[in-house]
Amino acid sequence: MLTRRRFLDLTGRAVAGLGAAHVLGPMPLMAAQAAAVPKSVAVPPAALEVIDAFVKRHMEEWGAPGLTLGVAGRDGVIAARGYGLRDRESRTPVSPEDLFQIGSITKSFIGLCALQLHQEGKLDLERPVREYLPWLRIESSYAPITPHHLLTHSSGLPNPLALPREPLWTGHAPGAHFHYCNLGYNILGLLLTQLDGRPLRDMVRARIFEPLGMSASEPVVSQAIRPRLAASYMPLYDDRPFPRRGELTEAPYLEMDNAAGCIASTPRDMAVYMQMLLNRGRGSKGVVVSPESFARFATAAVPAPAFGPTAGYGYGIAVAPTDGRLILRHTGGMVSFSSAMHLDMDAGLGVFASVNARLGGYRPNAVCAYALSVLRAALAGEALPSPPEPDDPFRVPNAADYAGTYTMPDGRALVVAAAGERLEVVYGGRRAALERAAPDAFLTQHPDFILDPLVFERESDAVTQVIHGGDWYAGTRYTGPKTFDAPAEWKAYAGQYRNENPWEGSARVDLRQGRLWLGGAELVPLEPGLFRIGEEDHGPDRVRFETVANGRALHAVFSGTEYLRVET
């Protein structure tokens, strides 16, 4: 997804695999629906059957309504498949001809369009962006931002989805750090269409879709394509972590023409696109970008730890060496779609998967990674790898680490009980299971703890306290202070804020242990009422609290996007 990453990733609520009660009930998985596509790569049918079986199991584990899968080799499309339900209400199965929104994988298309314009002499990748777009307001003491910086998420700009009304700012010198920035690609879309002379939809169609024969794809999400787009789903509640197989509701239909993530495609078309990438810019009908341009596209320009400890970012694609292989990959999240694309450049294989739902921070990376491993083995004549073990979010191998009694300064106590590899929280006369969300973080359906994860903190590897929203509970081994001071005016900033745009949703600010927090990110004061989001001094995202009435701030502006306080 786009702007919600700004909040959900920071708060820890977007951890793939957050689990909770099984609320959807058994989901009948349709047989894989395969498109009639040429299979110019000889893959044993048994390999595709193994992938099919894993996809079905994976969908059931995660509560995914439907999924599309595209598989490619350097010589052509290997498979285009659909699984599960296109529409839960009508029980219509997914067809490989259905459109799914690919989200931020769109950025790779924008990167290729930029390189084409560079080849044509229309775009200087090192020229200040404001020389092209003089109306763009950026107040910064650093060197000018260039298209190269926008393409590599190293501009230092904050990360709203749309341009705010106020002038922009930067958190660091351009090129110094990676900070994922949808706004940068929004600006790129405006710049490229100005230089190309055509609207975004026409530019992408002419420069990428038509040369590759991607005739089923759509460059923007509009009302016109609605009949072809799969029905899609989002969490019923947006003010809390999403549990494994949590309750979904049908998402509103939203148009999207922002270059940060606006393409809808089919698995066959995405396989055709991956074939071109595997051939380093050469499609079946000719060259899309030159070898030199593709090398720039697929070379890490800046370290990108958000994509893995060894990953970097090129021009709209993550470059992630893995087990001695060059892997290009990207994920995409929309309001109600979750996608992933992985390409093994050494093996000449690519896999794309997309789910018609937002399931917290889930992306179908596991599908892509396992499918690649199966295909590599099959083409090498080796035994096919076994699928990963089913992920049981209730299993906690080190459950004993967390067991104990934890007490608030006001005397309230919660008990964490371990039974083998299972954990329960006991509070207020109720017991509820704990489910793994991340290392040392758990979800529960206990009504007193449903709005935030329970996060256990350690001292010298021993668990000493539990954090829940604005509350903290000290264990018997906790040795730190139990009283904390904070500026009196900070009490006015704590609370729940909402923006009714589905891209934004809910954000909660907590005052805890003398500091303000947006979920798991500390708010660092810059000036009265203005805070940086996160401890890193180069982070550009900010929140400003406004209109304090009756001891409460009524507005919070997150990097230019306004939220209103709500009572919960």
Side-chain angles (χ1 to χ4, degrees), residues 195-421:
L195 297 178
D196 181 87
R198 292 172 287 193
L200 179 66
R201 67 173 70 223
D202 296 336
M203 180 186 73
V204 173
R205 194 182 299 279
R207 290 185 173 276
I208 308 293
F209 291 176
E210 290 176 357
L212 293 179
M214 296 176 65
S215 58
S217 296
E218 295 290 345
V220 298
V221 178
S222 66
Q223 292 292 329
I225 72 169
R226 190 167 186 174
R228 299 177 53 220
L229 197 68
S232 57
Y233 304 90
M234 61 189 292
L236 179 62
Y237 304 102
D238 69 359
D239 64 343
R240 63 199 64 183
F242 183 73
R244 181 77 67 92
R245 295 184 62 83
E247 193 169 359
L248 297 171
T249 186
E250 188 164 355
Y253 192 84
L254 302 174
E255 294 192 336
M256 185 68 174
D257 63 354
N258 186 314
C262 59
I263 289 174
S265 190
T266 65
R268 181 196 179 280
D269 272 12
M270 288 304 296
V272 169
Y273 179 66
M274 291 188 294
Q275 181 191 359
M276 178 272 294
L277 295 178
L278 293 168
N279 284 291
R280 299 181 176 271
R282 179 178 291 276
S284 60
K285 298 181 180 180
V287 174
V288 173
V289 293
S290 69
E292 295 78 16
S293 289
F294 188 84
R296 190 189 288 257
F297 170 82
T299 298
V302 60
F307 285 90
T310 63
Y313 203 86
Y315 276 17
I317 198 77
V319 183
T322 305
D323 298 329
R325 298 178 174 277
L326 176 58
I327 304 295
L328 302 183
R329 62 185 179 89
H330 215 291
T331 57
M334 299 292 277
V335 164
S336 52
F337 288 87
S338 306
S339 305
M341 178 179 73
H342 292 206
L343 300 114
D344 185 330
M345 300 301 289
D346 297 309
L349 294 165
V351 180
F352 164 82
S354 185
V355 168
N356 58 335
R358 186 175 88 235
L359 309 172
Y362 163 87
R363 303 290 184 268
N365 285 305
V367 170
C368 294
Y370 180 63
L372 275 181
S373 69
V374 170
L375 293 167
R376 282 194 297 261
L379 294 178
E382 300 171 352
L384 302 183
S386 299
E389 289 295 319
D391 179 39
D392 177 3
F394 295 96
R395 180 176 176 267
V396 185
N398 60 336
D401 285 3
Y402 308 102
T405 299
Y406 301 84
T407 307
M408 281 274 291
D410 64 7
R412 286 179 289 159
L414 68 82
V415 174
V416 177
E421 295 185 334

Side-chain angles (χ1 to χ4, degrees), residues 86-167:
R86 179 192 199 275
D87 187 314
R88 296 197 308 178
E89 183 175 356
S90 67
R91 312 302 292 174
T92 306
V94 171
S95 161
E97 284 73 42
D98 290 330
L99 289 173
F100 278 52
Q101 297 176 27
I102 70 172
S104 287
I105 298 172
T106 297
K107 292 179 173 69
S108 63
F109 290 76
I110 298 302
L112 294 174
C113 288
L115 288 164
Q116 288 181 354
L117 286 162
H118 175 64
Q119 290 174 191
E120 295 163 11
K122 298 177 181 177
L123 174 65
D124 184 342
L125 295 167
E126 304 300 335
R127 183 180 177 185
V129 169
R130 290 196 70 247
E131 292 185 12
Y132 290 109
L133 304 175
W135 52 263
L136 184 64
R137 297 180 299 165
I138 302 176
E139 296 179 355
S140 173
S141 60
Y142 295 112
I145 294 168
T146 68
H148 169 83
H149 299 134
L150 297 178
L151 286 158
T152 57
H153 296 293
S154 62
S155 67
L157 290 171
N159 189 30
L161 178 58
L163 279 166
R165 289 189 296 249
E166 60 191 283

Side-chain angles (χ1 to χ4, degrees), residues 11-24:
T11 62
R13 296 174 189 163
V15 180
L18 301 188
H22 181 158
V23 298
L24 287 179

Side-chain angles (χ1 to χ4, degrees), residues 149 152-156 171-179 302-303 536-539:
H149 299 134
T152 57
H153 296 293
S154 62
S155 67
H172 59 76
H177 301 280
F178 176 90
H179 180 78
V302 60
E536 294 180 332
D537 58 9
H538 61 265

Side-chain angles (χ1 to χ4, degrees), residues 396 398-407 414-418 423-426 432-444 449 452-459 461-469 471-475 477-478 512-513:
V396 185
N398 60 336
D401 285 3
Y402 308 102
T405 299
Y406 301 84
T407 307
L414 68 82
V415 174
V416 177
L423 284 174
E424 286 187 325
V425 61
V426 184
L434 294 184
E435 309 167 27
R436 284 181 296 104
D440 290 339
F442 299 84
L443 302 186
T444 179
F449 300 102
D452 285 286
L454 286 167
V455 180
F456 292 79
E457 297 199 348
R458 296 175 181 264
E459 296 176 21
D461 203 40
V463 174
T464 60
Q465 57 182 317
V466 183
I467 301 300
H468 179 261
D471 294 336
W472 67 281
Y473 299 79
R477 289 178 285 189
Y478 176 74
R512 183 180 70 242
Q513 294 173 307

Side-chain angles (χ1 to χ4, degrees), residues 497-564:
Y497 299 86
R498 286 194 60 81
N499 180 303
E500 293 304 324
N501 185 332
W503 285 107
E504 305 295 343
S506 180
R508 185 161 54 254
V509 175
D510 296 307
L511 180 59
R512 183 180 70 242
Q513 294 173 307
R515 293 181 285 177
L516 286 170
W517 302 84
L518 175 62
E522 184 179 356
L523 300 184
V524 179
L526 300 175
E527 58 185 61
L530 179 67
F531 297 79
R532 184 180 68 240
I533 301 174
E535 296 181 358
E536 294 180 332
D537 58 9
H538 61 265
D541 285 309
R542 300 176 181 178
V543 56
R544 183 175 68 252
F545 297 97
E546 300 178 340
T547 320
V548 176
N550 299 322
R552 301 178 305 164
L554 302 184
H555 301 89
V557 182
F558 294 92
S559 293
T561 301
E562 184 172 338
Y563 281 60
L564 302 179

